[in-house]
Amino acid sequence: MEKRLVTTQKKDFDFFPSSKGDGQELGKIDSFLSHHAIPAPQSLRKLQLFLGKVCNHSCSFCPHDAKRESSEFMRHEMVHQVIRLIEEEQFEEISFKGGAPEMSPYFRWIVKQIRQKSPQTRLVLHTHVTAMKDPGYFQALPRFLQEHQVALSVYVPTLDEVQMDQLRGPKTFKTFLSVVRYLNLLGYASQDSDLELKLIWKHLKVPNSKSCEVHFEEWKSKWGIRFSDFQEKMYSPVGRMMNCLSDEGDKARFFQELQTKIGRHDDQPLPCKDSLTIDWEGNVYNCENHISAKDGRVNYRLFHLKDWTYERLQKVRIQPALHCLSCLACLKN
């Protein structure tokens, strides 16, 4: 039986004390969060489609345990249910996540259907781009993305070429550069083009935007590549990423540091306030990180896609968790 959640009227940030506490205090906060839910707005602007865990990399730090041989990906029946939903709801933005979402057997078909049924919807592919160099299926993918006006958010675990090869495999950086340069030729990140190519440096530390921007500009100049924008983000400590915190002491220190960096301003809403995520099986969540969070006390799943109704959406609540601290810590103070 799913745990019944208590809905409160507190402001979102009030659930996450910013004062530094010890491991015992963190445990109390974690237990408290598992019993409470935050009211969410009744209008949804964004939909995230988590197409599965298939990926051309098997990074030791992957929050979602993705790998090339994964059998977890969105199948034919579920794809059609998703398209019907998109046709009915008319979302402002739809993003594709994974793994490497472009490796999904139905990725191109989904994009085509959305463009036909909802041509004004903003489409965003969250990608490592290296899969676009894989032989066979992916050679024509950049041109497909260009044709269908799909914005790209490109994730890298480091801005150091040697480290990237160490983290993701030999010649990964060379492949990365090759694909980005080709995307630039197609018009991505060009001043006279609407094709967005955003670089996202994602790791397990709270962002330091000033030093990061300087590093980024030097990096672009060194390699002769263009991006529309740059952002530093933080991985959520779920899945394999949690294993990077080797012991309970590391975990306690990590979450304590996050607590001290949480912002408290009404003009900084929770990112999950106006969006929902659907996984490859049709389960609906507040956030993609809830998909991979392992917590026997809480069922983060809101409902299944087949049960999607207006009445269901009226009852949607955001289930906070300790791993949400990583997101809140990145909001501007």
Side-chain angles (χ1 to χ4, degrees), residues 204-233:
L204 197 58
K205 292 182 180 179
V206 177
N208 181 355
S209 58
K210 291 185 178 179
S211 62
C212 189
E213 288 173 6
V214 172
H215 193 164
F216 172 61
E217 291 302 322
E218 293 175 348
W219 196 65
K220 283 197 305 180
S221 176
K222 179 180 180 180
W223 299 111
I225 50 181
R226 299 191 311 271
F227 293 96
S228 312
D229 194 11
F230 171 67
Q231 189 173 3
E232 186 183 6
K233 283 190 175 183

Side-chain angles (χ1 to χ4, degrees), residues 89-306:
E89 296 292 335
Q90 296 292 306
F91 296 95
E92 293 179 23
E93 178 177 302
I94 298 173
S95 57
F96 305 97
K97 296 194 171 185
E102 62 268 40
M103 294 184 73
S104 165
Y106 294 100
F107 170 71
R108 297 191 202 190
W109 189 84
I110 294 174
V111 170
K112 287 180 180 178
Q113 290 297 307
I114 295 174
R115 275 289 169 254
Q116 289 176 11
K117 300 177 185 300
S118 185
Q120 301 305 314
T121 299
R122 171 176 158 81
L123 301 183
V124 184
L125 171 63
H126 294 254
T127 175
H128 310 303
V129 303
T130 52
M132 298 184 196
K133 284 283 283 188
D134 271 19
Y137 293 110
F138 309 110
Q139 290 179 347
L141 184 56
R143 287 195 175 277
F144 173 86
L145 297 170
Q146 174 202 38
E147 177 186 351
H148 292 84
Q149 298 289 295
V150 179
L152 303 180
S153 288
V154 182
Y155 288 81
V156 294
T158 176
L159 295 181
D160 183 277
E161 57 270 24
V162 175
Q163 287 184 358
M164 192 180 294
D165 284 355
Q166 290 173 343
L167 291 169
R168 286 187 168 166
K171 299 183 179 180
T172 296
F173 187 74
K174 181 179 179 181
T175 300
F176 168 81
L177 284 181
S178 175
V179 176
V180 171
R181 284 170 179 157
Y182 184 51
L183 290 168
N184 287 161
L185 285 173
L186 293 178
Y188 274 92
S190 174
Q191 291 184 347
D192 56 355
S193 169
D194 293 329
L195 294 169
E196 180 183 315
L197 183 64
K198 183 176 183 178
L199 184 69
I200 300 177
W201 178 20
K202 204 166 185 181
H203 47 71
L204 197 58
K205 292 182 180 179
V206 177
N208 181 355
S209 58
K210 291 185 178 179
S211 62
C212 189
E213 288 173 6
V214 172
H215 193 164
F216 172 61
E217 291 302 322
E218 293 175 348
W219 196 65
K220 283 197 305 180
S221 176
K222 179 180 180 180
W223 299 111
I225 50 181
R226 299 191 311 271
F227 293 96
S228 312
D229 194 11
F230 171 67
Q231 189 173 3
E232 186 183 6
K233 283 190 175 183
M234 186 178 188
Y235 277 115
S236 182
V238 295
R240 289 185 210 143
M241 181 54 74
M242 182 60 93
N243 297 334
C244 294
L245 302 170
S246 58
D247 56 46
E248 291 302 319
D250 286 343
K251 292 176 184 178
R253 285 190 294 272
F254 172 74
F255 284 114
Q256 287 164 14
E257 179 185 1
L258 294 183
Q259 276 185 279
T260 65
K261 297 182 178 179
I262 295 175
R264 277 182 166 78
H265 294 284
D266 291 336
D267 61 349
Q268 292 289 314
L270 290 170
C272 51
K273 272 287 196 176
D274 61 355
S275 66
L276 289 178
T277 300
I278 300 176
D279 74 2
W280 64 96
E281 294 180 318
N283 299 307
V284 181
Y285 296 85
N286 292 127
C287 168
E288 64 173 297
N289 294 316
H290 280 2
I291 296 174
S292 298
K294 301 295 189 294
D295 190 336
R297 304 162 306 171
V298 181
N299 185 356
Y300 292 116
R301 173 183 177 273
L302 297 173
F303 53 88
H304 194 273
L305 178 57
K306 62 181 173 59

